[in-house]
Amino acid sequence: MPQLPRAVFAMNPVHLPELFPPPLMARLRSLVRIDPALVVRDFGDPEAAEVLAGAEVLITGWGCPPVDARALAAAPGLRALLHAGGSVRDWVGEAVWERGIAVSSAVDANALPVAEYTLAAILLSGKDAFRFQQRFRAEHAFPAPGDYAAVGNVGRRVGIIGASRVGRRVLELLRPFDFALSLYDPYVDASEAAALGAVTLPLDELLRTSDIVSLHAPDTPETYRLLDRRRLALIPDGGVLVNTSRGALVEPGALQDELVSGRIGAVLDVTEPEPLPADSPLYRLPNVFLTPHIAGSLGNELERLGRTVVEELALLGAGSPLAHGVRRADLAHSA
């Protein structure tokens, strides 16, 4: 019987029990030879070099050091890198692609909780639930019937910025509801958008015509400050901005000014800086629902990422193509 390939973990070990609880770890160890007690945190460490010398598979996660030429020099037999997390854009170096190492990511699995959070944010924003919750807490009484006139999700106009993995999953989750969906993504044409259930619009028009705007573009030099002061001002009065992407996509001072004025509202799981300073008014504004970067996989959701890695290992062992393989070209416009 052929010997199982040797694998090595490279991540913050605190995540290991959540990513691979005992039944999943047992399944993983039926596919590769791996010691869960040996988790690499620094590829330059002499002990790490000894562990990596015979590694054929690197299983990475949050806290993994950059996989660069130095790391690859320590692992001459490495043939696959399986990431139990989101995008590999920022830490998989050029040397990995140049050497032809197979790369896989659980980014699709990680996109699901972000999309679920976004769906909840959009539905609750359409009901003006965050403002009514604050008001109910203060007044201990029901609003007058006339106060509900602008509330509801029937025909609510929702604009999605970015057909990333998360953006596409959000559109999929929104389809059963009675929304008017629009999409801005310079790499998606009208026919592809229609298949996603949306119409394409230029960014400025999407902002002008959306009651709720949700950001799902990747953090790249091209998207830095994508929503600047001029564009934020295009969102209609009473509109809501949902950001589960990255704070860098929005001009922080301009967003704060818009929110302090009360002209628009926001659901923000990400900000810039992150976290905000303790004296930021966004912590106290009634039109802002602020959460500490919780939209992505947390708690029991992490097992889904580990399961993706185990499924990829099974494919690798069978000589089949990886289901969640990543190419260098895929990283430019994905999130």
Side-chain angles (χ1 to χ4, degrees), residues 129-147:
F130 304 117
R131 183 173 67 88
F132 279 124
Q133 187 265 351
Q134 296 262 1
R135 182 171 165 183
F136 197 30
R137 176 180 289 175
E139 299 177 1
H140 306 160
F142 288 157
D147 292 343

Side-chain angles (χ1 to χ4, degrees), residues 23-206:
L24 196 58
M25 180 63 78
R27 187 177 167 204
L28 185 151
R29 297 182 76 173
S30 73
L31 298 166
V32 291
R33 290 177 293 148
I34 194 164
D35 185 347
L38 300 175
V39 182
V40 174
R41 298 294 305 277
D42 179 359
F43 289 125
D45 185 275
E47 291 184 11
E50 185 176 344
V51 172
L52 290 165
E56 297 174 65
V57 179
L58 193 63
I59 300 174
T60 62
W62 291 303
C64 176
V67 185
D68 52 18
R70 182 182 69 165
L72 294 187
L78 191 67
R79 60 190 179 94
L81 187 157
L82 309 180
H83 185 50
S87 175
V88 300
R89 179 189 297 111
D90 296 328
W91 58 270
V92 169
E94 289 296 329
V96 173
W97 310 110
E98 290 169 2
R99 209 164 97 178
I101 291 169
V103 178
S104 171
S105 170
V107 64
D108 289 318
N110 194 49
L112 178 55
V114 183
E116 291 171 340
Y117 176 106
T118 304
L119 171 66
I122 290 171
L123 290 170
L124 289 171
S125 294
K127 296 287 283 188
D128 209 358
F130 304 117
R131 183 173 67 88
F132 279 124
Q133 187 265 351
Q134 296 262 1
R135 182 171 165 183
F136 197 30
R137 176 180 289 175
E139 299 177 1
H140 306 160
F142 288 157
D147 292 343
Y148 298 126
V151 170
N153 285 312
V154 176
R156 182 72 65 183
R157 303 170 301 175
V158 178
I160 302 296
I161 298 176
S164 61
R165 288 176 176 85
V166 176
R168 289 168 186 266
R169 200 65 183 263
V170 170
L171 286 167
E172 177 186 337
L173 294 178
L174 290 174
R175 278 203 293 272
F177 299 94
D178 196 359
F179 290 118
L181 304 177
S182 57
L183 170 67
Y184 167 74
D185 189 310
Y187 304 98
V188 174
D189 61 24
S191 61
E192 187 178 358
L196 295 169
V199 297
T200 55
L201 290 177
L203 180 55
D204 285 7
E205 186 177 351
L206 180 145

Side-chain angles (χ1 to χ4, degrees), residues 209-230:
T209 59
S210 296
D211 303 306
I212 301 170
V213 174
S214 192
L215 269 173
H216 302 289
D219 181 6
T220 65
E222 292 75 25
T223 61
Y224 181 74
R225 302 291 189 264
L226 182 68
L227 298 190
D228 56 13
R229 188 173 298 274
R230 180 188 70 80

